[in-house]
Each structure stands twice: as structure tokens, then as C-alpha cells.
């Protein structure tokens, strides 16, 4: 009893410290990277991420007045006034949402990071913002912040947590319709003042970088907006440099895409793959079917083979692939997507060594049989077209030591013959992996 009384003040102080700490735990303290390449390395090493488009547009699931081709552009394409579109918030009640389940699916797919829509063009915040009532926490019967759960699940499972943020905003009346896609604003304001929109944008970025712990990347989207405006002018309008400076200050390891109007850290080819190795880090984004957000009528899924060959192609050029899925409004994932992603993950479980942490092919031209990736002394030969002669020619001679099948746990050496212009590997007589058979070539310069 006496002891208790004695310790009581200390215990209360300890509790206060713990509580205060708890409030601040999502503030990130990071020693800044020493160089741009050091900053980019963890991001580039991951090579494969999952884009997630989830928002109010998931409620109509692509259908409106008999037409079924809509998705995240629903509001613009139906020309729906804000007051009507905003009603979808009252139907957004994803009782089946389970962040652990989502991140388990992410892990099973072999993707190493997610990029989720914190706010799409519709301006609806899919997180707990204090700057706006138009949010998943304030305006839906769910009353819940999914980013909080997802950030925690990502942290626990070692998955990178990245955020998508749209520059155009069809809800904030200070975003001028003239800069928005096709000049559409759900609630137009002739006196919209872009300069007044900037503190809002910056305030939300500040929230996103202080509420959820480390953010792997920020994916600003400008697509189709600021039409006819030079990138210099756009950078001026978006206050790009000061946004970037603030991100650097809050989270120096967070990498930033190129859509604010200035280059930042990586480029973002959308639905196309560059023709060869690129000087700057890049990340191709690609939907798994034909829509970014959930569309219930879209069954045009890319097969596991298409996805993996795309990933291999991009990796051989030194880029990342950000593969998109649109979860349903009830919190479930489209089952077809889960199945395909599981198959992709199955291939990566065996062959991931040839993707993660690798760099672009050292060769200028790509071999007719497939692609090459590299990790130090190891070359990974991705044989997509198995030669009927079972002879695989690789135009590499320097220090070639040993070749084996990546899927062979015994790593049995394959026989090789070398010539002045390259090495020929005798392929074993087996049924090749219909997706991609990987051969490891050990070299020592
Ligand atoms: O978030 C995703 C898209 O909503 C956004 N960027 C990706 C990552 C994007 N904004 N604009 N665009 C993509 C390009 C515009 C494509 C369009 Fe269309 C084709 C506009 C009209 C036809 C896609 C299909 C959007 C509506 C229908």
C-alpha cells in the first residue's frame, strides 16, 4: 500500500509519457539518405507494387443508366453534379474490409508495396482528414479510416505503404475547372482560386505524411489536367518545389513521382512500357483488367503469364511495375483478381530472385528468346521462347562460370560451350515453365 502511494506519481508520469508518445508515434524520424541513388535503391529493389483504386466510384461499380463502362472517372463521365455524386458516400459501408486480408493478398501476389488512393479526382478523402468533411471517416456510415489499418498491416508484414494523391479535385471549389480534366468540376466556382487550393493540398500531404508512419512513395496524379499548360507553368501553379521540399523535410526517404510538373524521383509511364533501359528510375502503372477502379462488367483480366512477362520486361529495363486492382465497395477483392495474383505470386516464390533487387540487362539489345536481368555477378536469363534446338545462345563471354536452372534446388550445372561472340548453353530436356523459365548464369569479371 505504502509502496503503491510512493510509486503513484511516477506511474502517472510514465502513463502520460506513454500516451504522449502514442500520439506522436506516426511522426517519422529518419536520417536522410546520403544520395538520390541511395534513396531510390529500396524502392527500385522492390520492383513490383500493387496499385489500389478504391473510393466512392466503387459503389456504382461502373454502372449508370444502363451503361457499364465507368470506373474512377464516373463523376466526370456521367457529368454528375457534386450533390448527387456525394450521395454515394452514404452507401459506402465496406463491412467486409479487412486490412490483414488485403495485405495477405498483397504478400501472396509477390508485390512488395502498395499505392492506395488517398484522394482521387473526385476529391473524396479515403482517410481521416481534418481539412474536409467530405471523407470516408466523416461522410460514410462506416466511419472508419482504412489507411490507418492498412499502414499498420503493411508495417507488420514488411510491405511498403505508398499513397496516390490527385492534384485535380472535383469537390474543393477552389480548384479551378479550367485546370481540371476536360474542364469539368462537379461543383464549379467561377471565382475558384488555385492559390487558395494549394494550402489545402499541402495540408493534406502534411496529414498523410504524419498520420500513417513511413510512406514509401507519393504518387501525385495530374493526368489530363492543366491542359495546354507547360510543365514549368504547372510546377508554378502546383507550387511543386515547395510541396517536394515539405515532403523531403517530413519524410526524406519518401520517393515522389514526376506529375507535379517537375521531375522529382521517378517517371510514371501509364499503360505503356518504355522501349529499352531508361536513364531515370521509372514505374509503369497498369490495370489488371481495363479499369483502375472496380467495374463489375469488366472481365478482361490479364493472365498471370501476361503479368509476369510484363514484369520481366520492365525489370530488364530497370523499372518497377505497379499493377492495379479495384476493390469492391463492400471491402472484398474481385475474386478473379485474387486468383490471378496468387498465380503470379506462385511464380515469384520460385523465381523472385531473378526480379527483386535486380538491375537492368547489361546488354544493349534484347535476345530473341526473352529478357535478361542482373544482380552483381549473376545474370538471369528469362527464357520465354524455349528454343526447339535446346541450344541457348547468350552474347556474353566474360568470366562465364556456371549455368543452372533457378527452379532447380540442386542447382545442377548445365553444359556450356563458349565461342568468341558468346556462350551457348545446352538446355535440359524438360517441359519449360510455360510462363518463363529462368536460367542463372554465374559470371566473374
Ligand atoms: O488513376 C488512374 C486514372 O484515373 C488516372 N491515372 C490513373 C493512374 C487517369 N487520369 N486520366 N487518365 C488516366 C488518362 C485519361 C484517360 C481517358 Fe478515359 C480515356 C479519359 C477518357 C478516356 C479512362 C477511360 C478514363 C475515362 C475513361
Amino acid at each position: 500500500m505504502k509502496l503503491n502511494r510512493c510509486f503513484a506519481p511516477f506511474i502517472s508520469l510514465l502513463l502520460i509519457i506513454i500516451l504522449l508518445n502514442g500520439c506522436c508515434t506516426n511522426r517519422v524520424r529518419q536520417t536522410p539518405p546520403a544520395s538520390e541513388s541511395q534513396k531510390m535503391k529500396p524502392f527500385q529493389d522492390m520492383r513490383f507494387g500493387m496499385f489500389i483504386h478504391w473510393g466512392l466510384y466503387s459503389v456504382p461499380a461502373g454502372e449508370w443508366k444502363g451503361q457499364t463502362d465507368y470506373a474512377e472517372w464516373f463523376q466526370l463521365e456521367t457529368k454528375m453534379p457534386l450533390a448527387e455524386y456525394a450521395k454515394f458516400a452514404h452507401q459506402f459501408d465496406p463491412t467486409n474490409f479487412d486490412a490483414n486480408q488485403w495485405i495477405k493478398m498483397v504478400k501472396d501476389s509477390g508485390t512488395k508495396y502498395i499505392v492506395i488512393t488517398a484522394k482521387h479526382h473526385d476529391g473524396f478523402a479515403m482517410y481521416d482528414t481534418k481539412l474536409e468533411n467530405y471523407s470516408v471517416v466523416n461522410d460514410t456510415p462506416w466511419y472508419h479510416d482504412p489507411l490507418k489499418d492498412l499502414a499498420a498491416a503493411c508495417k507488420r508484414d514488411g510491405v511498403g505503404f505508398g499513397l496516390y494523391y490527385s492534384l485535380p479535385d472535383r469537390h474543393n471549389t477552389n480548384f479551378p475547372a479550367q485546370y481540371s480534366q476536360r474542364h469539368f468540376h462537379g461543383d464549379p466556382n467561377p471565382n475558384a482560386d488555385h492559390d487558395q487550393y494549394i494550402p489545402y493540398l499541402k495540408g493534406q500531404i502534411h496529414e498523410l505524411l504524419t498520420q500513417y508512419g513511413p510512406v514509401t512513395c507519393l504518387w501525385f496524379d495530374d493526368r489530363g489536367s492543366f491542359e495546354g499548360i507547360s510543365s514549368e507553368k504547372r510546377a508554378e501553379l502546383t507550387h511543386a518545389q515547395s510541396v517536394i521540399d515539405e515532403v523531403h523535410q517530413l519524410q526524406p526517404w519518401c520517393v515522389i513521382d514526376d506529375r507535379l510538373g517537375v521531375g522529382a524521383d521517378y517517371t510514371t509511364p501509364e499503360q505503356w512500357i518504355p522501349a529499352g533501359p531508361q536513364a531515370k528510375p521509372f514505374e509503369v502503372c497498369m490495370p489488371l483488367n481495363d479499369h483502375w477502379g472496380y467495374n463489375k462488367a469488366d472481365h478482361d483480366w490479364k493472365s498471370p503469364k501476361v503479368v509476369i512477362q510484363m514484369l520481366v520486361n520492365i525489370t530488364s529495363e530497370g523499372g518497377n511495375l505497379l499493377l492495379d486492382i479495384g476493390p469492391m465497395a463492400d471491402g472484398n477483392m474481385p475474386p478473379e483478381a485474387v486468383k490471378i495474383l496468387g498465380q503470379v505470386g506462385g511464380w515469384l516464390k520460385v523465381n523472385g530472385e531473378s526480379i527483386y533487387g535486380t538491375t537492368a540487362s547489361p546488354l544493349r539489345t534484347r535476345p530473341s528468346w526473352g529478357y535478361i536481368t542482373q544482380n552483381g555477378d549473376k545474370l538471369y536469363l528469362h527464357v520465354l521462347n524455349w528454343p526447339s534446338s535446346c541450344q541457348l545462345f547468350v552474347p556474353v563471354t566474360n568470366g562465364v562460370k556456371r549455368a543452372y536452372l533457378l527452379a532447380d534446388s540442386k542447382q545442377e550445372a548445365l553444359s556450356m560451350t563458349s565461342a568468341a561472340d558468346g556462350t551457348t548453353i545446352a538446355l535440359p530436356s524438360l517441359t519449360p515453365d510455360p510462363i518463363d523459365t529462368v536460367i542463372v548464369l554465374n559470371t566473374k569479371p
Side-chain angles (χ1 to χ4, degrees):
M1 196 62 182
K2 207 172 164 196
L3 199 74
N4 269 354
R5 222 177 285 142
C6 234
F7 276 102
F10 293 107
I11 290 171
S12 332
L13 189 66
L14 199 68
L15 275 177
I16 290 171
I17 291 171
I18 291 171
L19 272 176
L20 278 177
N21 242 339
C23 298
C24 305
T25 43
N26 283 327
R27 287 250 172 194
V28 174
R29 274 189 208 142
Q30 294 170 332
T31 313
S35 63
E36 180 68 15
S37 60
Q38 193 194 22
K39 175 167 85 171
M40 289 311 292
K41 189 162 182 344
F43 180 71
Q44 292 187 288
D45 280 352
M46 293 189 290
R47 288 291 178 233
F48 191 25
M50 191 179 291
F51 219 171
I52 302 176
H53 277 69
W54 201 38
L56 292 191
Y57 43 81
S58 315
V59 173
E63 184 175 5
W64 190 248
K65 294 193 173 160
Q67 232 179 288
T68 57
D69 201 30
Y70 305 113
E72 77 290 347
W73 275 48
F74 184 96
Q75 192 185 0
L76 182 151
E77 293 199 294
T78 59
K79 296 276 182 290
M80 193 174 270
L82 179 64
E84 194 180 348
Y85 181 75
K87 286 184 191 151
F88 287 125
H90 310 144
Q91 294 172 51
F92 191 86
D93 193 14
T95 43
N96 293 329
F97 171 78
D98 178 348
N100 295 330
Q101 199 61 39
W102 280 27
I103 300 307
K104 182 183 180 302
M105 183 204 68
V106 168
K107 290 209 84 164
D108 289 348
S109 73
T111 50
K112 298 288 187 189
Y113 61 106
I114 63 166
V115 179
I116 182 160
T117 45
K119 185 194 86 171
H120 206 268
H121 307 330
D122 60 8
F124 186 79
M126 285 297 288
Y127 75 99
D128 188 9
T129 179
K130 301 285 180 283
L131 303 175
E132 180 68 81
N133 287 328
Y134 195 49
S135 82
V136 65
V137 173
N138 264 297
D139 223 12
T140 70
W142 195 36
Y143 197 73
H144 194 90
D145 180 352
L147 297 198
K148 198 163 170 241
D149 299 355
L150 287 168
C154 282
K155 191 171 176 191
R156 190 198 55 215
D157 287 355
V159 171
F161 179 73
L163 297 169
Y164 167 107
Y165 187 88
S166 168
L167 297 168
D169 190 311
R170 294 179 189 137
H171 174 260
N172 188 310
T173 47
N174 272 320
F175 192 87
Q178 80 197 78
Y179 299 143
S180 196
Q181 287 111 329
R182 301 194 214 153
H183 299 233
F184 175 82
H185 194 291
D187 188 7
N189 170 10
N191 302 315
D193 179 354
H194 197 265
D195 279 341
Q196 286 193 44
Y197 174 70
I198 297 302
Y200 173 73
L201 183 160
K202 279 191 174 174
Q204 290 205 315
I205 295 304
H206 189 277
E207 288 179 329
L208 291 170
L209 292 177
T210 51
Q211 291 178 185
Y212 303 97
V215 174
T216 299
C217 56
L218 271 179
W219 211 104
F220 289 101
D221 198 3
D222 69 319
R223 234 346 101 91
S225 54
F226 302 101
E227 267 155 16
I229 291 173
S230 69
S231 41
E232 290 80 13
K233 181 73 185 157
R234 179 189 314 180
E236 193 186 313
L237 280 167
T238 59
H239 295 223
Q241 200 51 54
S242 96
V243 173
I244 290 172
D245 289 346
E246 185 162 4
V247 176
H248 285 165
Q249 199 229 324
L250 288 168
Q251 293 205 22
W253 283 87
C254 175
V255 302
I256 309 170
D257 78 345
D258 61 340
R259 296 191 177 192
L260 280 161
V262 285
D265 299 314
Y266 62 102
T267 62
T268 50
E270 185 164 324
Q271 300 205 52
W272 60 277
I273 300 174
Q278 302 293 299
K280 221 177 143 75
F282 71 94
E283 177 194 62
V284 170
C285 57
M286 190 73 72
L288 186 54
N289 55 4
D290 295 332
H291 296 84
W292 301 95
Y294 179 57
N295 178 299
K296 64 182 171 192
D298 184 351
H299 303 290
D300 191 22
W301 302 99
K302 295 175 182 66
S303 66
K305 179 174 175 164
V306 166
V307 172
I308 289 161
Q309 295 193 350
M310 205 184 279
L311 175 64
V312 171
N313 180 357
I314 292 165
T315 305
S316 79
E317 297 177 358
N320 288 23
L321 169 62
L322 186 63
L323 185 68
D324 177 80
I325 54 157
M328 299 184 240
D330 66 2
N332 283 324
M333 290 287 172
E336 299 100 315
V338 177
K339 192 169 165 216
I340 296 163
L341 290 169
Q343 288 169 306
V344 170
W347 184 88
L348 279 163
K349 233 181 208 138
V350 178
N351 299 286
E353 184 192 316
S354 67
I355 301 290
Y356 308 123
T358 64
T359 51
S361 167
L363 304 186
R364 270 172 179 274
T365 44
R366 122 171 154 75
S368 57
W369 42 258
Y371 299 97
I372 300 178
T373 55
Q374 181 173 20
N375 195 343
D377 294 341
K378 281 181 178 171
L379 292 186
Y380 297 97
L381 316 176
H382 297 262
V383 190
L384 307 189
N385 313 310
W386 198 254
S388 51
S389 64
C390 285
Q391 302 290 309
L392 190 81
F393 179 73
V394 195
V396 172
T397 50
N398 249 2
V400 169
K401 289 269 175 300
R402 210 169 108 75
Y404 59 90
L405 286 164
L406 183 56
D408 176 9
S409 55
K410 293 194 205 104
Q411 302 194 352
E412 254 171 59
L414 304 175
S415 65
M416 295 186 289
T417 48
S418 46
D421 59 344
T423 306
T424 300
I425 302 169
L427 298 176
S429 52
L430 50 73
T431 313
D433 185 323
I435 292 178
D436 171 12
T437 312
V438 184
I439 290 163
V440 186
L441 189 63
N442 272 333
T443 62
K444 262 239 147 49

